[in-house]
Amino acid sequence: MSSSVPTPDREEIVALLRKHDEVINDLDSFTFERLGEGRGFCSPIYKVSIGDKSYAVKITNNGGTITEGVAGLNMNVHNRECDLYEWVAGYLADGGEKTDVERLARTYGGRRCEEREGFLIMEDLSGRMTTDVDFTKGYSVDVVKSIIRCIVGYQSAYLSAEKKFATSDKLFCHTAFINMGIHCVGALGEKEWLSTDKRSVLLEFVKNTASLQDEYPDFAKVRISNTLTLCLAPSLTVIYGRTTCYSRRPKIIPRGNCWQLWIGSVPASVGLTTNAGNALLDVASAIGVCLTPENRRLHEVELVEYYLDEIEKRKHRFTEKAVFDRKTVMKMYRESLKWAALQLIFTAVYNPTADKSEEGQENGPLSKRLKAIMEEI
């Protein structure tokens, strides 16, 4: 496949939109603009305008330095995303609870990446952005609660579904993640606070990705239920709750409450890491990545309790016995902060503008959060 940057094709996009009952006239104008260029996105993302309507389109990009040395990574990522959206559609078609996935932006389908580059079409939320929120200053506790409600939603969908989301080739996923993690830890080597010992610890986190995702440590006397995990860096890869990252700065969507999964920046995105596994990985990432160290320490117990309360509200419709022992969940959260540390590393390396330090400050906001987590775990 070509390594050149692909662009939206009118004929293909219009045909797919019409299959999803969108009214598109032959004479409607067709324009597009690139979003997030230079911010570390795995694949090109476009705002496509057709007449007076607009859509968000992601096209797989099989070239680019972000995936060097990991053959087939973008293809795997894209196809897993397609699998996820198809699974969600099937869950709803089988009578699944709509509120579980109501925070997902509407999708209009796409094409798997096989002999040709794949693409995905989703609703464009950019016109609904209003108030700025600044990730570098940390999200509010209310925004993180909105993220957690979204996490509880897709985990509840998984635990309620008769047909589970299929697991992927975990060996491929873990190998790709490890390769990129080793690169990112090396790239952060110039940080003064990141001593040789701390780098060694981070590399151990990277190399133990498989056990962190899939295995429970000795303290887990009560095994927490495995569920759907997306393993994302919440700050820059998705629309969580009311925040989005289409533009230079995230903004508030006043009545959106949507979570658009594939607007991603780091390679550990939906397609690569979506699997059944440790339920606390995404919760720990939401708390550890999005909050300042001070707010995290002040509110993390409250937020984990909030997660458990939201799960408890939905347990009556789960198709299998779901165990979420509070004591074990809190310990699993602490263990899973290792994953938040890795997400901070990926984001700092692939989107360095997010970690710029303020005047007179030694470290940027991501480095501060990473440093604090490293000191605590």
Side-chain angles (χ1 to χ4, degrees), residues 1-9 12-13 32-35 42-46 48 57-64 74 111 113 116-119:
M1 296 182 190
S2 171
S3 61
S4 61
V5 177
T7 56
D9 180 271
E12 290 182 316
I13 290 173
F32 55 84
E33 60 177 304
R34 181 91 176 264
L35 303 174
C42 288
S43 302
I45 303 167
Y46 297 91
V48 174
V57 176
K58 189 192 85 166
I59 309 176
T60 53
N61 181 3
N62 292 289
N74 279 4
R111 181 179 65 218
C113 183
R116 300 175 61 193
E117 288 145 335
F119 66 92

Side-chain angles (χ1 to χ4, degrees), residues 60-101:
T60 53
N61 181 3
N62 292 289
T65 57
I66 200 168
T67 58
E68 282 182 3
V70 190
L73 173 61
N74 279 4
M75 180 184 295
N76 180 285
V77 167
H78 177 84
N79 290 343
R80 286 296 284 171
E81 292 181 40
C82 291
D83 292 342
L84 177 63
Y85 302 135
E86 289 175 7
W87 178 81
V88 169
Y91 171 72
L92 292 174
D94 291 340
E97 177 59 48
K98 290 183 179 179
T99 58
D100 286 343
V101 292

Side-chain angles (χ1 to χ4, degrees), residues 82-133:
C82 291
D83 292 342
L84 177 63
Y85 302 135
E86 289 175 7
W87 178 81
V88 169
Y91 171 72
L92 292 174
D94 291 340
E97 177 59 48
K98 290 183 179 179
T99 58
D100 286 343
V101 292
E102 67 181 354
R103 293 168 187 266
L104 300 179
R106 182 180 177 184
T107 179
Y108 300 91
R111 181 179 65 218
R112 294 177 66 82
C113 183
E114 292 170 344
E115 294 183 0
R116 300 175 61 193
E117 288 145 335
F119 66 92
L120 286 164
I121 307 173
M122 300 186 79
E123 72 174 307
D124 174 27
L125 303 175
S126 57
R128 291 151 59 186
M129 299 179 198
T130 54
T131 308
D132 283 339
V133 292

Side-chain angles (χ1 to χ4, degrees), residues 146-349:
S146 185
I147 296 173
I148 290 173
R149 286 197 300 274
C150 184
I151 292 170
V152 170
Y154 63 71
Q155 290 187 350
S156 297
Y158 178 85
L159 291 169
S160 302
E162 294 292 341
K163 182 181 178 182
K164 303 302 183 187
F165 182 73
T167 57
S168 63
D169 181 351
K170 290 191 176 184
L171 178 60
F172 173 88
C173 297
H174 294 152
T175 300
F177 189 93
I178 289 169
N179 288 343
M180 291 182 294
I182 291 171
H183 163 74
C184 288
V185 172
L188 286 180
E190 74 279 3
K191 301 286 185 182
E192 291 185 7
W193 64 268
L194 192 59
S195 65
T196 300
D197 288 344
K198 284 188 172 68
R199 284 198 297 274
S200 297
V201 171
L202 285 171
L203 285 172
E204 282 302 308
F205 291 174
V206 170
K207 293 174 182 178
N208 290 328
T209 293
S211 60
L212 186 60
Q213 286 187 311
D214 302 328
E215 299 175 11
Y216 282 78
D218 292 339
F219 65 70
K221 305 300 183 184
V222 179
R223 183 181 176 89
I224 304 303
S225 299
N226 277 2
T227 187
L228 187 66
T229 62
L230 302 186
C231 303
L232 301 162
S235 59
L236 297 172
T237 58
V238 293
I239 295 173
Y240 273 136
R242 298 172 184 264
T243 62
T244 182
C245 297
Y246 277 160
S247 58
R248 293 179 183 273
R249 289 272 302 277
K251 295 178 182 289
I252 296 294
I253 302 175
R255 289 179 297 277
N257 277 356
C258 293
W259 184 21
Q260 189 146 340
L261 297 168
W262 54 256
I263 304 296
S265 62
V266 294
S269 68
V270 175
L272 179 61
T273 54
T274 301
N275 259 308
N278 179 356
L280 273 296
L281 291 183
D282 292 349
V283 176
S285 288
I287 297 171
V289 173
C290 294
L291 292 175
T292 64
E294 296 78 13
N295 263 350
R296 175 177 58 78
R297 295 181 185 117
L298 188 61
H299 295 287
E300 59 187 351
V301 173
E302 169 195 347
L303 288 167
V304 175
E305 291 281 350
Y306 180 79
Y307 165 76
L308 283 166
D309 290 343
E310 291 296 308
I311 284 285
E312 190 67 29
K313 293 176 185 177
R314 297 160 174 81
K315 283 177 66 174
H316 65 279
R317 55 182 169 80
F318 294 169
T319 58
E320 58 185 61
K321 184 178 180 180
V323 179
F324 287 87
D325 174 72
R326 288 178 181 259
K327 184 176 180 180
T328 304
V329 163
M330 186 57 68
K331 288 184 177 181
M332 288 301 300
Y333 161 75
R334 301 298 304 177
E335 178 78 3
S336 299
L337 280 175
K338 295 175 182 178
W339 190 263
L342 297 181
Q343 298 300 332
L344 285 164
I345 292 169
F346 279 128
T347 307
V349 171

